[in-house]
Amino acid sequence: MRIRKELFADERDDDLRLVGRPVRRQDIEGHVTGRSTFFADHPVSGLLHLRCVRSTEHHARIRSIDTTAAERVPGVRRILRWADLPKKAHNILTIFNFGIDDEPALADGKVRYLGEPIVAVLAENPRAAAEAVAKVRVDYDPLPAVFDVEEALKPGAPLVNEYIGRNWFRYWGDYDCQQIRFGDVEAALRSADLVVSGRYQMSPIEHAPLETNGCIVVPAEDGRFTVYTCTQGLFFSLDNTAAQLKIESNRLHFIGGTVGGGFGGKVDTVVEPLAVLAAMLTGRPVRYVFSRAEEMQVSSPRGAERIYIEDGVMRDGRIVARKIIHYHDAGAYSRLSTYGTIKSAAHHPGPYYIPNVWVDSWCVFTNRTPSSAMRGFGVTGGDFALESHMDVVARAIGMDPMEFRIVNAYRDGDMKAHRKLTQGAALIECVQVAAELAGWPLSEEARRASSRVGGGGERARIPPTPQSRTRAPAAAGRGEPLRAGVGEARRGMTPPPSWTGGQPATAPAAAEPGRREPPLRESERREPPSEPPRSGSGHGAIRFSSVFGSRRR
Amino acid sequence: MTRAVRLELNGVEVAAVAEGGENLLTLLRERLGDTSPKAGCLQGTCGACTVLVDGEPVLACLMLAEAADGKRVTTVRGLADGPRLHPLQEAFMDGFAAQCGFCTPGMLVAAKALLDREPRPTREQVIEAIAGNVCRCTGYTPIVEAVLEAARRMAGRRG
Amino acid sequence: MAKHRGRGIASVNYPIGMNLGGDPSQALVHATPTGKFVVTLSSIDLGQGMKSVTRQLAAETLGVPIEDVFVDTADSDTGPHCMGSFASRGTHRAGNAVIAAAKEAKEVLLEVAAEELEVDPKDLELDGRGNVQVKGAPSRAISVRDVAQRAHFKRGKSISGRGMFLVPPSDVDPETGEMNPVTTYAHACMVAEVEVDDETGEVTVLSLKAAYEIGRALNVKLVEQQLVGGAWMGISHALYETPEPYYPDRSHGPTDFNEYLMPGPGDMCPVEIELLERPALDGPYGAKGIGEMCATPPIPAIANAIFDAVGVRITEMPFTPEKILRALDAKAGR
Ligand code: FES
Ligand code: FES
């Protein structure tokens, strides 16, 4: 692997002793001798094994749970239920005052996805736990389920999550999606030489770390609990566990840091709260480790994303408008999807200077495994769509795809769609080096282009931007109100303002169980924003209202 | 039903009591304190639990503990010769062939079985030998390279 | 029926650290009585090399040999807060915290050394081999070990430092989306070459060639680990992986590694990479994070290469043989 030191040489101090050197990993000897201590390698005797009974339905009310036979299995010590939970619903971002407590650690009388934990069995050995799990009888009253993001946004779709109160997450108080508005996209699309549309879909993806999620909890000195864990965020998981159990955080002592792969799949803090609760209630050390099957089907995957792109492009290769509707399939609960949705909006329109950009990024709830962060969270799906589309557009105007990228690449001083100036750009240089590596001929002009030249000036301007708030269809995803007493006020740590942003500090209206929406004024009523832009190209085709942002009636 | 199991673990005679139906992985990790073989799936699909039983690579999660009675079991902890690491271990260290390290013990044991049988393996033979071992981090290339490098170094030492 | 070759490209950038900032990391550094250093963190090493890269940064900043530094991490009773290992933030955020802590510790080290050598601390430097010396006069020197001994047992001074790094949190304008998501971006461009079998629909990735701009390669082998492992994951995402093969339908979900498909050791193609370094203004020695972006560009690059090879545009991940064959059929009007 070569470093192209000649590029950006004047910006770099090359007089360093250790930086850059291929120093051996500090942990490598432990790895090759089998001495590295992963969470499951801590020797703990007298363990109870925790295993969950999981929903066999996608969406159902639970009529009854019969644990009598399970309790009679030799070695079974206790069965935890929703009623045992100190906090009845939680979300891992509410400790920062962002989002809504929308997920019970054990089913609250309803299941919202296949595999949702209903009760947790604690037994002396894994076999007894498995046997007892098989003997728990759950009687379901199945409900209609919704699996598609655009279906979920349609009027009459079954309501997935009553804590949220609608099938989408509402941003900053009163916005149905995370918006980016930069310039007048509609006008630019009308004046473009060519309009090219596309629809892209990413299926969910499993992190598949070789070590599955898990932890071991040991009751320790002075009322504290030692938690050996594979979390990717030590204090993030510690503070979330304390919040869910309503205990002081210093009663928890988390030990981890040697983790068998994560890729974003070990942030959700799913195992620790139940395991600590179990240890609190039994006084015994507890082990809760996901099976491989649970890891693949129950632990949160990288969520599915659907992306519609509509580009307006000129014959000379300049993209003058880019309009994006980006749906994130959060599954049944928020986890971190509310955050990833904002990140995806910020990432658009990719590393390009485009003077007119519109993004609606939606966090949508469906009856599937809650999704969450994964390597490239908020970016991977978007980049698949953007870069596929770049190829489509380049071909549509008959331009070399490398040259097309260099023409549109952002440069130092360019205004980005989220209204920050570009600095430290290096896309052009990457394209040039990749072209060289691949023996891909570039024109003289493309070879001479630089990220440091040609940006700024007119391109640093924030263009006049018409106001336009996208609205979800009025009746979408409404269902029966949640029974009283389930929703819970959020408790806060000191919030970093980034998490509150423009949102009021109090719980947003959606957190209130059963709250009805005020009817939208007639002028605001829109059809679902979910309809894909028609593909194909047409000069000046008007498909979107530039004032309100949704399809005209 | 419990059963006494006696075996030779990395050259040392040991004994432990296994529950009926208990697998060799549990016996090694929980009863004998050798946590080097990892539980990646407990289904026989990842290879993280690979150990040698009488020199043959075996998935410890699929073998009954009692079936190891009277056998020679080698885990990655048995690869080093006292403080001197095995050339495979050295090559993995030099070649940056581990990231999280969770697959590494199983990989090394699978590679050891190959080199015991075939001291000068081809790239294809290395690939075949570790084909049952999943690695989510490295992209395999550095692992394959490290095994080939270890074979070269061992041949050099012998020659 | 034939095999067709094609090439596709993708160029991307990647935001470093949590979107909207507000994600702090802290570090503590202290010297033992014999002049060795311990870096204490609560950051997580999940294979990316957190312990190793922070060790290198501490040794670089302190000016001591790498062997004289060890990183102890992820005990909540001893390690100060770190937001966590995600969002490509570890190197950037924790790295900066470690540098700050090491600088503070080094200041005390130089102060004590200056007292011992009776010079101004500003005139001192470390030689990287375990000695403090007078700039321009290396014969006037004292070992770090001796400095630590004097600090501990004679002068009662703690050679230690605290470091913290925080990218200030950003607000979001709900209407326009005006925000400051991150302070720096990494960049990449990749060319994928594939072969598509129009009879089986199978795609073989023949090679990946890429340029990555990562600010600064702090450890070139750790970088290579991420970029090669990430390239493999990108191929895997592009062609094989999903727990819901018929999304949005929930059926046929795999539950083991026999059903959840990923490329094996024999399926990995050559990966050729060149690095560019345009230092991040606020990066540790200019470094950015590469842990996530490395898995992204192969996906669109392969999609575009498939189109180049057989003229069908696969717009749904993963690009399975079934999807390719159906698309070929549709194209042929079958
Ligand atoms: S744990 Fe035995 S093969 Fe995975
Ligand atoms: S190094 Fe992580 S699974 Fe192989």
Side-chain angles (χ1 to χ4, degrees):
Chain A
M1 211 172 54
R2 196 155 68 109
I3 305 185
R4 299 289 294 264
K5 287 281 182 188
E6 77 277 12
L7 294 160
F8 305 112
D10 55 331
E11 294 184 32
R12 203 170 46 235
D13 164 21
D14 279 331
D15 188 27
L16 297 169
R17 200 168 44 89
L18 284 169
V19 158
R21 275 188 37 202
V23 177
R24 211 184 238 190
R25 295 177 65 110
Q26 182 183 303
D27 52 8
I28 191 67
E29 196 161 337
H31 286 352
V32 301
T33 55
R35 297 280 175 194
S36 295
T37 309
F38 296 89
F39 84 86
D41 298 338
H42 290 274
V44 177
S45 59
L47 280 171
L48 287 179
H49 297 261
L50 190 154
R51 201 179 161 108
C52 284
V53 174
R54 298 190 175 278
S55 166
T56 55
E57 296 290 324
H58 298 290
H59 195 191
R61 223 170 281 287
I62 296 174
R63 274 208 215 99
S64 65
I65 304 169
D66 179 3
T67 57
T68 27
E71 277 156 33
R72 280 202 291 269
V73 172
V76 170
R77 290 290 167 261
R78 179 152 185 161
I79 296 180
L80 304 181
R81 294 162 174 264
W82 181 73
D84 294 313
L85 302 175
K87 191 179 173 195
K88 300 306 182 191
H90 184 71
N91 170 261
I92 44 182
L93 292 177
T94 56
I95 64 169
F96 301 112
N97 272 347
F98 180 86
I100 296 163
D101 286 326
D102 68 342
E103 181 171 8
L106 294 167
D108 57 6
K110 193 183 153 180
V111 287
R112 298 175 180 86
Y113 68 96
L114 188 74
E116 179 157 7
I118 297 170
V119 298
V121 172
L122 287 155
E124 296 288 348
N125 55 66
R127 192 200 258 189
E131 204 181 317
V133 161
K135 288 193 169 154
V136 171
R137 294 271 158 271
V138 182
D139 190 11
Y140 300 97
D141 190 0
L143 297 167
V146 61
F147 297 111
D148 184 273
V149 281
E150 294 180 76
E151 293 300 320
L153 287 175
K154 285 188 179 155
L159 177 66
V160 174
N161 186 319
E162 295 80 356
Y163 300 92
I164 300 289
R166 53 180 71 80
N167 284 346
W168 67 98
F169 185 79
R170 187 167 270 188
Y171 283 91
W172 320 120
D174 197 24
Y175 284 78
D176 285 336
C177 57
Q178 177 62 58
Q179 307 188 166
I180 301 283
R181 299 288 182 266
F182 185 74
D184 189 340
V185 165
E186 300 306 331
L189 283 172
R190 278 195 297 274
S191 62
D193 288 339
L194 203 64
V195 175
V196 185
S197 308
R199 173 195 190 270
Y200 303 90
Q201 172 76 50
M202 177 174 73
S203 295
I205 295 176
E206 160 57 18
H207 309 82
L210 204 51
E211 171 200 61
T212 60
N213 266 281
C215 69
I216 295 175
V217 181
V218 184
E221 54 189 359
D222 206 15
R224 301 182 84 203
F225 296 88
T226 305
V227 182
Y228 301 104
T229 166
C230 63
T231 177
Q232 287 179 235
L234 199 74
F235 279 95
F236 183 77
S237 289
L238 187 156
D239 290 335
N240 266 300
T241 303
Q244 272 205 66
L245 300 179
K246 298 186 169 177
I247 59 174
E248 293 298 333
S249 62
N250 67 355
R251 287 187 64 198
L252 299 175
H253 176 192
F254 271 44
I255 296 175
T258 299
V259 176
F263 313 106
K266 292 174 175 169
V267 186
D268 285 1
T269 316
V270 172
V271 288
E272 292 90 345
L274 273 186
V276 175
L277 177 64
M280 287 170 72
L281 295 178
T282 61
R284 296 271 302 271
V286 172
R287 181 188 147 99
Y288 181 17
V289 182
F290 274 11
S291 69
R292 180 53 62 186
E294 285 176 312
E295 188 69 35
M296 282 191 180
Q297 288 295 321
V298 175
S299 88
S300 55
R302 182 200 289 288
E305 294 175 27
R306 184 171 304 158
I307 300 130
Y308 293 98
I309 307 179
E310 188 172 35
D311 277 357
V313 64
M314 307 309 281
R315 291 270 165 225
D316 61 7
R318 283 175 301 121
I319 305 170
V320 292
R322 176 164 280 179
K323 179 161 189 170
I324 291 174
I325 301 175
H326 195 145
Y327 298 104
H328 297 260
D329 190 337
Y333 299 106
S334 308
R335 301 275 172 100
L336 297 167
S337 294
T338 48
Y339 159 88
T341 301
I342 310 175
K343 187 173 174 186
S344 81
H347 187 65
H348 288 308
Y352 304 108
Y353 169 71
I354 300 176
N356 300 283
V357 176
W358 166 302
V359 182
D360 283 347
S361 194
W362 293 79
C363 176
V364 184
F365 298 92
T366 62
N367 290 108
R368 56 169 20 87
T369 308
S371 66
S372 201
M374 184 174 177
R375 195 180 207 177
F377 193 26
V379 173
T380 306
D383 275 355
F384 159 57
L386 291 174
E387 288 304 302
S388 294
H389 201 65
M390 288 295 284
D391 204 61
V392 173
V393 178
R395 285 174 191 276
I397 58 165
M399 195 166 181
D400 175 87
M402 289 265 190
E403 305 260 346
F404 182 57
R405 282 165 173 87
I406 289 178
V407 164
N408 288 290
Y410 66 2
R411 302 170 187 225
D412 288 358
D414 287 346
M415 185 57 70
K416 291 192 251 191
H418 57 256
R419 302 176 184 227
K420 285 290 165 293
L421 286 173
T422 304
Q423 54 167 24
L427 193 80
I428 289 173
E429 288 73 10
C430 282
V431 175
Q432 290 162 337
V433 170
E436 215 180 294
L437 266 177
W440 190 301
L442 287 182
S443 68
E444 180 59 26
E445 206 184 338
R447 267 184 286 131
R448 272 206 319 267
S450 162
S451 294
R452 299 196 282 190
V453 182
E458 182 60 17
R459 294 162 58 122
R461 208 170 54 95
I462 295 177
T465 306
Q467 277 228 345
S468 57
R469 186 186 307 196
T470 300
R471 282 295 189 192
R478 314 234 118 243
E480 283 174 47
L482 192 69
R483 64 182 181 284
V486 174
E488 215 176 275
R490 294 166 304 158
R491 38 180 292 161
M493 304 202 328
T494 318
S498 71
W499 296 106
T500 49
Q503 198 179 31
T506 53
E512 294 166 29
R515 182 179 174 276
R516 303 294 301 185
E517 272 293 287
L520 290 177
R521 274 176 292 123
E522 198 50 43
S523 62
E524 286 177 320
R525 257 183 222 288
R526 300 286 161 233
E527 281 190 25
S530 45
E531 269 193 80
R534 255 173 252 117
S535 57
S537 56
H539 195 110
I542 307 170
R543 292 196 281 280
F544 291 86
S545 148
S546 63
V547 182
F548 292 106
S550 297
R551 188 175 296 274
R552 286 199 184 122
R553 271 171 192 266
Chain B
M1 253 306 246
T2 58
R3 231 197 107 153
V5 181
R6 299 156 62 93
L7 50 87
E8 191 190 301
L9 176 57
N10 298 327
V12 181
E13 293 266 357
V14 293
V17 176
E19 294 286 336
E22 189 166 295
N23 62 37
L24 177 60
L25 183 62
T26 307
L27 186 88
L28 290 170
R29 288 181 54 86
E30 278 158 41
R31 315 236 180 251
L32 295 168
D34 185 344
T35 53
S36 66
K38 303 298 177 204
C41 69
L42 303 174
Q43 304 162 318
T45 64
C46 80
C49 63
T50 307
V51 299
L52 301 183
V53 176
D54 285 347
E56 286 298 316
V58 156
L59 298 174
C61 72
L62 291 189
M63 185 174 186
L64 280 177
E66 55 200 69
D69 192 46
K71 304 240 153 67
R72 256 182 320 119
V73 176
T74 308
T75 69
V76 77
R77 290 203 185 151
L79 255 56
D81 177 9
R84 263 219 334 275
L85 295 184
H86 189 276
L88 274 167
Q89 293 170 309
E90 295 280 0
F92 267 56
M93 296 211 293
D94 296 340
F96 284 73
Q99 288 186 34
C100 79
F102 204 80
C103 71
T104 313
M107 285 285 181
L108 282 164
V109 170
K112 166 87 163 52
L114 169 70
L115 296 192
D116 285 350
R117 183 175 83 236
E118 181 51 74
R120 287 162 198 246
T122 62
R123 176 174 291 270
E124 284 63 39
Q125 284 173 313
V126 173
I127 286 171
E128 206 193 313
I130 62 164
N133 294 68
V134 174
C135 175
R136 187 57 159 160
C137 306
T138 62
Y140 296 103
T141 307
I143 295 175
V144 174
E145 294 297 339
V147 176
L148 289 169
E149 173 63 19
R152 274 194 297 273
R153 289 182 190 178
M154 288 168 77
R157 262 172 233 183
R158 272 192 305 270
Chain C
M1 298 297 153
K3 294 183 174 184
H4 308 266
R5 287 194 174 198
R7 294 202 297 181
I9 81 161
S11 63
V12 301
N13 65 345
Y14 200 87
I16 303 308
M18 280 183 75
N19 193 60
L20 304 179
D23 55 329
S25 282
Q26 289 186 55
L28 300 174
V29 170
H30 79 271
T32 66
T34 45
K36 307 297 182 191
F37 288 85
V38 180
V39 180
T40 315
L41 309 170
S42 70
S43 310
I44 304 296
D45 200 320
L46 33 80
Q48 86 281 38
M50 175 58 78
K51 290 169 198 163
S52 310
V53 83
T54 48
R55 181 188 190 202
Q56 221 162 325
L57 286 170
E60 176 78 48
T61 308
L62 285 163
V64 302
I66 187 96
E67 305 76 40
D68 288 359
V69 180
F70 277 97
V71 176
D72 174 34
T73 191
D75 181 323
S76 66
D77 275 5
T78 56
H81 175 263
C82 167
M83 192 77 191
S85 289
F86 35 72
S88 299
R89 63 182 299 286
T91 292
H92 191 262
R93 308 296 207 256
N96 272 320
V98 166
I99 290 175
K103 275 188 180 153
E104 198 173 293
K106 185 179 179 180
E107 233 168 77
V108 187
L109 178 80
L110 292 180
E111 248 170 56
V112 175
E115 284 167 16
E116 294 294 327
L117 293 170
E118 298 179 339
V119 293
D120 191 301
K122 282 200 234 19
D123 297 331
L124 291 175
E125 64 185 6
L126 281 110
D127 70 352
R129 292 190 301 273
N131 302 296
V132 185
Q133 64 192 24
V134 177
K135 283 178 195 162
S139 58
R140 289 189 65 197
I142 180 171
S143 71
V144 172
R145 180 195 164 96
D146 285 347
V147 179
Q149 290 269 307
R150 311 274 158 86
H152 277 84
F153 302 109
K154 181 171 150 198
R155 302 195 181 267
K157 280 208 169 150
S158 169
I159 301 179
S160 58
R162 306 160 303 166
M164 172 126 196
F165 185 74
L166 173 72
V167 170
S170 158
D171 283 343
V172 179
D173 181 296
E175 166 64 32
T176 63
E178 175 171 357
M179 60 179 128
N180 196 10
V182 295
T183 58
T184 186
Y185 290 82
H187 302 89
C189 179
M190 176 175 276
V191 181
E193 192 179 2
V194 304
E195 189 172 79
V196 184
D197 186 325
D198 65 11
E199 189 165 9
T200 63
E202 222 173 321
V203 177
T204 309
V205 182
L206 302 172
S207 72
L208 298 176
K209 293 179 176 148
Y212 278 89
E213 186 280 311
I214 62 170
R216 187 79 186 225
L218 296 179
N219 177 326
V220 78
K221 289 299 281 185
L222 289 181
V223 169
E224 189 175 15
Q225 283 196 315
Q226 287 302 308
L227 297 185
V228 173
W232 172 87
M233 188 179 272
I235 295 173
S236 191
H237 281 10
L239 299 178
Y240 300 88
E241 289 186 47
T242 179
E244 300 185 28
Y246 294 95
Y247 178 89
D249 193 295
R250 279 289 280 120
S251 58
H252 300 287
T255 54
D256 64 36
F257 284 117
N258 292 338
E259 296 172 339
Y260 190 83
L261 301 182
M262 302 187 290
D267 303 320
M268 187 57 180
C269 68
V271 179
E272 201 182 324
I273 293 168
E274 293 196 348
L275 297 179
L276 283 66
E277 297 180 321
R278 185 171 194 194
L281 294 179
D282 65 348
Y285 297 101
K288 303 171 179 177
I290 49 158
E292 299 184 280
M293 76 178 303
C294 50
T296 300
I299 303 167
I302 290 170
N304 296 340
I306 292 170
F307 185 90
D308 192 46
V310 290
V312 296
R313 176 67 54 190
I314 310 298
T315 56
E316 302 197 359
M317 287 169 60
F319 321 137
T320 57
E322 179 179 343
K323 286 177 193 160
I324 289 166
L325 288 180
R326 286 187 194 283
L328 284 171
D329 280 356
K331 186 182 160 216
R334 285 194 290 265

